[in-house]
Amino acid sequence: LQAQYRPLRDDLLAALTRVADSQRFIMGPEVEAFEREVGQVVDVRHAMGVSSGTDALLAALMALGIGPGDEVVTSTFSFFATAGCIARVGAKPVLVDIDPDSFNMDIVAAARACTARTKALMPVHLFGQPADMSAVLALADELNLKVIEDAAQAIGARDHGGRVGGIGNVGCFSFFPSKNLGGFGDAGLVTTNDDRLAHTVRLVRNHGMEPKYFHALVGGNFRLDAIQAAVLRVKLPHLARWTEGRRANAARYRQLFTDAGLAGTVRLPAEHPDRFHIYNQFVIRVPDRDGLKARLDAAGIGAEIYYPVPFHLQACFAHLGYEKGDFPQAEQAAAEVLALPIYPELTADQQQYVVDQIAAFYRPAA
């Protein structure tokens, strides 16, 4: 975060001062301006700032009227909010396995999991790699389902059908500080091309209130702070350049791993020719993952495990009745995945150091 912050420090502090001098902290012109600007980047008609990526998912589910008795089909391998928000509205998360190459929802498994109670599909564009949205939309059309895109890690990602967040009925983004576009705390976004749904999301994020003190429905307090909007407005013009930096670093990693002769040991993230991966994370799959992470930790390299326990094995979802072995691809990924540094300010020498440390771990006598 420091590497990104330093060159933008003056502009960011000026934005904070602007909000402080205005004394307008909740919604207001900063939020409205950010919504217009980010809507153009995502290429959607409506972009609604909210308080977090989690609240974006929650607001989307509430706006679609999904609740008790309904089912939402999603991946078992993602950040907890994906399934947690489905449960929070009283619906049932119906979990499916992943495609082992993309880490995204196995659409064939999703089709098998649908029942008469299924109301929506929630594909996750995990790690910045778009899900197979053509297949998702085909299934949704066949079964008359809504599509909620969990794009929390994927702003700017796209497939041949368009930019994520504008392909399904509704998209949900996170601006957690470590994301490709990150705020100075929690912040999120809901996107849609549906005018009526956009109006409902705007109601839901503000206690269902319109006009003031008149409540058409029960919503929540999911509003975006003006300070976060101001920070994100400073960063947004740099997003495309940062994305290209991440993609360039991903390409360099591929070459370095090839040059190091690690292709048979380290499984690199798949790249699909019809999808634009933004590399929110660069996730490899390796044997003895925990041992390698300990080696990288000791070497001062910030590696991270996303995610060690799939949803179907989480204690809070035990009542769903899933067992170990039900989703073998997700369980294998959970044991093997490790995210390497990929941020755009990463230098070639730093990447070489990462690969050298990995090579030394797997070939200690070399």
Side-chain angles (χ1 to χ4, degrees):
L1 295 183
Q2 287 288 348
Q4 183 187 91
Y5 169 69
R6 285 191 295 267
L8 299 180
R9 181 179 183 276
D10 290 346
D11 291 341
L12 288 164
L13 294 181
L16 297 179
T17 299
R18 184 175 69 239
V19 174
D21 288 347
S22 76
Q23 289 296 290
R24 298 192 65 177
F25 299 112
I26 305 296
M27 304 297 290
E30 288 287 350
V31 172
E32 292 165 6
F34 172 65
E35 290 174 338
R36 289 193 301 271
E37 293 158 6
V38 76
Q40 293 175 355
V41 169
V42 182
D43 193 22
V44 289
R45 291 177 62 181
H46 302 281
M48 289 76 69
V50 293
S51 41
S52 69
T54 299
D55 289 340
L57 291 168
L58 195 56
L61 288 159
M62 293 170 67
L64 289 169
I66 293 172
D70 297 332
E71 295 178 352
V72 178
V73 176
T74 194
S75 167
T76 190
F77 189 67
S78 178
F79 178 66
F80 181 76
T82 303
C85 288
I86 297 169
R88 284 181 64 189
V89 297
K92 178 182 178 181
V94 175
L95 306 176
V96 299
D97 212 345
I98 59 169
D99 168 70
D101 291 327
S102 69
F103 300 109
N104 289 327
M105 183 170 69
D106 180 337
I107 194 62
V108 175
R112 290 197 301 264
C114 290
T115 73
R117 294 180 295 278
T118 306
K119 293 297 188 293
L121 305 173
M122 188 182 286
V124 184
H125 306 301
L126 200 65
F127 307 140
Q129 171 93 285
D132 184 352
M133 290 305 294
S134 295
V136 170
L137 292 179
L139 178 59
D141 288 344
E142 177 186 349
L143 300 180
N144 192 30
L145 305 176
K146 300 298 184 184
V147 175
I148 303 166
E149 296 181 70
D150 184 341
Q153 300 176 355
I155 188 166
R158 58 183 184 268
D159 72 3
H160 62 274
R163 292 181 181 271
V164 304
I167 303 173
N169 298 95
V170 62
C172 302
F173 295 87
S174 168
F175 302 123
F176 187 79
S178 61
K179 293 290 196 295
N180 288 35
L181 180 65
F184 277 5
D186 279 318
L189 188 76
V190 181
T191 56
T192 186
N193 291 306
D194 183 321
D195 296 347
R196 182 175 296 180
L197 182 58
H199 180 254
T200 306
V201 170
R202 291 188 177 101
L203 285 177
V204 165
R205 73 173 171 181
N206 193 26
H207 295 293
M209 183 167 57
E210 186 184 54
K212 192 172 184 179
Y213 302 131
F214 289 79
H215 301 266
L217 51 83
V218 176
N221 180 2
F222 306 143
R223 299 172 301 209
L224 178 64
D225 291 344
I227 284 176
Q228 299 302 338
V231 167
L232 292 166
R233 291 184 68 198
V234 171
K235 291 187 173 188
L236 185 62
H238 302 275
L239 178 61
R241 175 172 58 84
W242 290 339
T243 297
E244 287 307 318
R246 286 174 179 267
R247 287 174 56 82
N249 286 344
R252 184 180 294 117
Y253 268 135
R254 293 179 191 281
Q255 187 61 54
L256 289 172
F257 278 116
T258 298
D259 294 345
L262 290 169
T265 303
V266 176
R267 184 174 174 181
L268 300 176
E271 272 199 326
H272 295 268
D274 59 347
R275 303 177 206 169
F276 186 80
H277 196 327
I278 64 158
Y279 290 100
N280 190 79
Q281 288 95 2
F282 186 89
V283 177
I284 61 174
R285 298 179 67 159
V286 291
D288 190 10
R289 186 268 316 280
D290 294 344
L292 176 60
K293 184 178 186 304
R295 168 66 178 251
L296 297 182
D297 288 346
I301 295 168
E304 187 59 68
I305 297 172
Y306 302 95
Y307 298 94
V309 184
F311 298 151
H312 68 284
L313 300 181
Q314 296 284 357
C316 65
F317 290 135
H319 66 282
L320 296 176
Y322 299 112
E323 298 179 355
K324 188 172 184 178
D326 284 349
F327 303 123
Q329 296 294 347
E331 291 174 27
Q332 184 175 352
E336 296 177 349
V337 293
L338 188 66
L340 303 180
I342 190 65
Y343 57 92
E345 296 84 7
L346 196 67
T347 68
D349 286 345
Q350 287 173 320
Q351 287 188 270
Q352 182 69 65
Y353 178 66
V354 172
V355 175
D356 287 347
Q357 290 296 316
I358 294 172
F361 177 78
Y362 289 112
R363 297 199 305 268

